[in-house]
Amino acid sequence: MSTIILDFEKPIVELERKISELREHAATTGVNLEPEIKKLEEKLQKLIVKTYSNLTRWQRVQLARHPDRPYTLDYVKRICSQFMEVHGDRHFADDKAIVAGLATIDDQKVILIGHQKGRKTKENLERNFGMPHPEGYRKALRVMKLAEKFKRPVVAFIDTPGAFPGIGAEERGQAEAIAKNLFEMAKLRTPIIVIIIGEGASGGALGIGVGDRLLLLENTWYSVISPEGCASILYHDATKAPLAAEAMKVTARDLEELHIADEIIPEPPGGAHRDPDQMAAVVKERLLFHLHELQQIPIDVLIEQRIAKYAAMGSWEE
Amino acid sequence: MVDWFQRTKKGLLSSEKKVIPDGLWIKCPSCNEYLYKRELDKNLGICTHCRYHFRISCDTYINILLNVFEEFNAHLKSNDPLKFKASKKYADQLKQTMAKTGANEAVKTVKGKLGDHSVVLAVMDFNFIGGSMGSVVGEKIARAIDLAHEQHLPLIIISQSGGARMMEGILSLMQMAKTSAKLAQFHDDGGLYISVLTDPTTGGTTASYAMLGDLILAEPGALIGFAGPRVIKQTIGHELPEGFQRAEFLLEKGFIDVIVERSELKTTLIKILDFFKNE
């Protein structure tokens, strides 16, 4: 059960508490409260459907950032029968904001990469809150080249508030590292599936996010800049982020309408954090489906389709 | 404030007395000398005292570099795909910017002659919404790459851009992938691409085509980076080192090939084109 409760989740949590209290009461006293409990449970289901089908874009951003939301390694634990993490970019360091490894998902051997946030303060500092430095992108590229060499597909989990804006990151070529990954991923001779599991902020996300399929969990956001960043530039006020989220149309559904997303993966009622096991099962099923599908396509055709897909993106008037 | 710190005699304030007609004289932000505008223009926007490079328009670059040229895809316009509205409407901003600049977008793409070489040249324009890259900029760059590819011509892109354009959200971000994918194809077929970085080149532009040149040139003093200096300062909470993210800094760190003064840009580019030309 979640430890942190968002504002719009409160009525639901309140009702859940009431139901469990009644259950407890019934169990200890032997009084039959079933009809009442049933009524409340129906009410709860309705409330959940009502709440989560009417979320604003900003509320979805909050869900995407929920501190209890499953991160890359939470999925790895649940969907991979084997996972061997590998480290380092062979140039400078091992960036813990991006994890990479040799993964087995059912009958599929894949190279898995993903942003990794930390759960507690100490781990968050280690993981730099999921904000990679150039060496993270270079580690990812190194293992993707390995995938290409040995014909293993790549699965990339995206969940980052952005590439880290700092002195070291600039000195070591944050822009070059990301650009190089876009360039190499566009023509990497193996299938690539990209899945947004939380936040997809800008070049920091795209830097491991070019591929044949883009899947987004239902309560995620993905855009050119964070809502806060946009708000601080356009309104000179970061607290106007909810407005910026609306204006930039940042949610999974928006990306489907803009022909950027290939598939939206529904989340359990209330969001991925309320049932990580179920969420992981669905993610696994969808990954396997797309992996099998992409493996049917000859590699030259696949790359042609990949480049054509990106070439068609955008909207303009001739 | 203690009284005796304040000036009482207005006559001593020198800066207010130097009233200079707009546009005739320009103060150099680097050495504070006043420069006669016509002289500055003749000198390609380089300060005659300290060699500071002023920003110049995309048309000026095209005129400096090419003898003859033909623009293509000038008609492409943004159709405001998100119907974006923040403090103002993006549609209005586009209209005003078009009226101000006389251009439809933040990049011009031309085919022309640079010395004896036929080239495809794309020049970004900071005056158009900060030289930001939305769908149209991405598409025009992509088509310029395609043209160079089809006709086996060298490609030169002069970047001058604050990054990807917020007002087109995810579509702007995807232009980074689009242009990089096109460059990957061009590269694999042996195309020559020279990237020229001018002040400023930041954000999504740097993190895509600007950093993907076979050779990367930069103008002296140009701000080049991924994150903007203000964001970095906010994040780390202290001042940035002197010269941070300037062209000279990038040269030292190994991310650009050479710094070229604007007055030498044409001859340098011709030298490179001569070198790689197959007889």
Side-chain angles (χ1 to χ4, degrees):
Chain A
M1 188 60 225
S2 175
T3 48
I4 286 141
I5 298 150
L6 302 172
D7 275 348
F8 59 89
E9 293 179 310
K10 277 181 188 154
I12 295 168
V13 175
E14 189 59 30
L15 204 52
E16 281 175 336
R17 198 180 48 85
K18 214 184 242 170
I19 292 168
S20 82
E21 270 173 16
L22 280 182
R23 278 239 166 79
E24 219 170 287
H25 189 70
T28 48
T29 61
V31 181
N32 182 15
L33 295 170
E34 267 322 303
E36 201 168 337
I37 290 173
K38 210 175 155 218
K39 224 188 263 172
L40 283 181
E41 274 178 339
E42 275 166 19
K43 197 177 158 194
L44 176 68
Q45 283 318 309
K46 273 187 200 154
L47 184 65
I48 287 175
V49 170
K50 187 173 160 246
T51 306
Y52 291 100
S53 55
N54 289 307
L55 291 180
T56 64
R57 290 187 171 93
W58 179 243
Q59 286 169 331
R60 293 216 192 264
V61 170
Q62 289 175 293
L63 278 179
R65 292 172 175 169
H66 200 292
D68 295 327
R69 200 172 167 83
Y71 299 149
T72 297
L73 288 176
D74 298 313
Y75 286 103
V76 165
K77 206 164 58 189
R78 289 175 171 89
I79 70 178
C80 301
S81 55
Q82 284 186 65
F83 182 71
M84 181 184 150
E85 192 178 345
V86 296
H87 298 274
D89 70 341
R90 299 287 192 272
H91 293 286
F92 182 76
D94 182 44
D95 186 346
K96 293 190 171 58
I98 289 184
V99 293
L102 321 180
T104 308
I105 309 174
D106 275 7
D107 59 334
Q108 292 279 347
K109 290 174 183 161
V110 305
I111 292 289
L112 190 148
I113 54 178
H115 299 101
Q116 181 65 37
K117 294 179 175 176
R119 201 61 74 185
K120 300 240 164 67
T121 309
K122 185 170 166 269
E123 196 198 352
N124 245 327
L125 291 175
E126 254 176 42
R127 303 280 185 196
N128 200 29
F129 299 86
M131 293 186 283
H133 282 75
E135 43 276 17
Y137 295 103
R138 293 183 183 130
K139 168 168 72 176
L141 180 58
R142 181 176 72 82
V143 298
M144 285 192 276
K145 286 289 189 183
L146 200 60
E148 181 178 55
K149 183 174 172 187
F150 294 101
K151 299 189 171 55
R152 299 284 178 260
V154 173
V155 176
F157 283 71
I158 307 284
D159 189 11
T160 180
F164 187 65
I167 290 179
E170 295 288 320
E171 277 179 340
R172 300 194 292 277
Q174 191 75 288
E176 190 274 344
I178 292 172
K180 186 75 186 295
N181 280 16
L182 309 185
F183 182 89
E184 294 292 343
M185 289 183 91
K187 57 173 180 161
L188 197 80
R189 296 180 66 78
T190 194
I192 305 173
I193 299 178
V194 179
I195 176 165
I196 315 272
I197 57 167
E199 302 189 78
S202 192
L206 188 62
I208 58 167
V210 174
D212 303 297
R213 293 282 186 278
L214 176 64
L215 321 178
L216 290 99
L217 302 193
E218 187 184 354
N219 297 309
T220 58
W221 71 270
Y222 186 18
S223 194
V224 67
I225 189 171
S226 71
E228 286 84 352
C230 177
S232 71
I233 295 170
L234 294 184
Y235 296 101
H236 306 286
D237 181 0
T239 64
K240 295 234 164 73
L243 291 177
E246 290 296 318
M248 282 201 299
K249 304 198 165 55
V250 301
T251 65
R253 291 281 168 221
D254 292 324
L255 267 65
E256 193 176 37
E257 276 170 32
L258 292 164
H259 308 293
I260 301 297
D262 293 302
E263 181 177 322
I264 308 299
I265 300 178
E267 295 189 16
H273 63 286
R274 289 171 72 94
D275 195 344
D277 290 336
Q278 198 201 328
M279 186 74 258
V282 179
V283 164
K284 179 178 171 182
E285 193 271 317
R286 296 320 294 157
L287 285 178
L288 287 170
F289 171 85
H290 286 286
L291 280 169
H292 288 304
E293 200 175 73
L294 291 174
Q295 282 163 331
Q296 308 306 311
I297 305 170
I299 191 67
D300 289 322
V301 178
L302 187 72
I303 289 166
E304 215 169 280
Q305 286 178 357
R306 187 188 301 159
I307 294 178
K309 175 178 105 150
Y310 285 99
M313 286 180 184
S315 176
W316 59 86
E317 211 177 281
E318 288 280 343
Chain B
M1 173 69 90
V2 183
D3 271 359
W4 40 266
F5 274 146
Q6 288 176 345
R7 284 179 189 272
T8 46
K9 290 182 186 168
K10 282 229 157 128
L12 288 176
L13 288 172
S14 58
S15 59
E16 284 183 14
K17 292 199 93 181
K18 279 193 187 167
V19 181
I20 289 155
D22 252 358
L24 249 187
W25 290 88
I26 291 171
K27 190 177 171 185
C28 174
S30 172
C31 68
N32 292 325
E33 288 287 339
Y34 282 89
L35 307 163
Y36 190 42
K37 183 160 186 312
R38 200 178 296 166
E39 204 56 38
L40 183 63
D41 287 345
K42 222 162 68 184
N43 206 32
L44 313 177
I46 304 171
C47 172
T48 44
H49 299 271
C50 72
R51 315 298 294 163
Y52 173 81
H53 283 51
F54 284 80
R55 270 177 209 157
I56 57 170
S57 73
C58 59
D59 292 321
T60 313
Y61 278 111
I62 295 169
N63 288 327
I64 290 173
L65 295 178
L66 304 184
N67 319 332
V68 282
F69 66 87
E70 198 181 333
E71 187 178 358
F72 56 93
N73 291 322
H75 60 288
L76 263 62
K77 271 186 207 169
S78 173
N79 58 2
D80 185 13
L82 305 186
K83 305 287 164 248
F84 186 94
K85 185 177 176 295
S87 41
K88 54 186 158 186
K89 277 189 183 165
Y90 175 44
D92 293 342
Q93 191 180 7
L94 280 168
K95 251 187 248 160
Q96 286 159 11
T97 310
M98 285 181 204
K100 186 185 87 182
T101 60
N104 281 338
E105 257 298 342
V107 68
K108 279 193 182 171
T109 52
V110 301
K111 183 185 156 183
K113 282 272 185 190
L114 176 52
D116 299 334
H117 301 272
S118 286
V119 297
V120 174
L121 171 68
V123 190
M124 302 188 76
D125 187 356
F126 194 76
N127 289 319
F128 200 104
I129 316 189
S132 54
M133 168 170 53
S135 298
V136 175
V137 169
E139 180 65 15
K140 284 175 84 170
I141 297 272
R143 289 187 193 184
I145 299 166
D146 281 346
L147 184 72
H149 198 166
E150 285 156 24
Q151 303 193 358
H152 305 286
L153 298 175
L155 169 74
I156 301 164
I157 301 178
I158 301 182
S159 292
Q160 187 180 55
S161 166
R165 190 175 294 170
M166 286 179 288
M167 297 75 124
E168 293 185 25
I170 190 70
L171 299 177
S172 298
L173 188 71
M174 290 303 135
Q175 304 311 309
M176 294 167 63
K178 179 199 278 190
T179 52
S180 302
K182 290 285 183 184
L183 281 174
Q185 283 182 314
F186 183 56
H187 171 89
D188 283 0
D189 283 346
L192 170 64
Y193 164 40
I194 306 165
S195 174
V196 181
L197 315 181
T198 73
D199 187 62
T201 301
T202 58
T205 302
T206 322
S208 59
Y209 52 85
M211 275 293 155
L212 292 173
D214 291 303
L215 290 171
I216 304 178
L217 319 184
E219 287 193 345
L223 179 79
I224 303 159
F226 178 64
R230 202 167 48 94
V231 175
I232 298 173
K233 213 169 97 178
Q234 263 174 17
T235 309
I236 63 173
H238 56 81
E239 289 299 315
L240 302 173
E242 179 79 25
F244 181 62
Q245 293 185 311
R246 296 288 162 187
E248 296 72 15
F249 172 90
L250 272 91
L251 183 74
E252 188 193 308
K253 298 295 170 193
F255 288 101
I256 55 179
D257 287 286
V258 59
I259 295 177
V260 182
E261 283 213 358
R262 195 175 290 151
S263 48
E264 299 298 315
L265 184 58
K266 185 172 178 174
T267 53
T268 306
L269 287 171
I270 289 174
K271 253 187 231 168
I272 296 169
L273 295 172
D274 283 343
F275 183 88
F276 287 110
K277 186 174 176 133
N278 288 322
E279 300 304 332

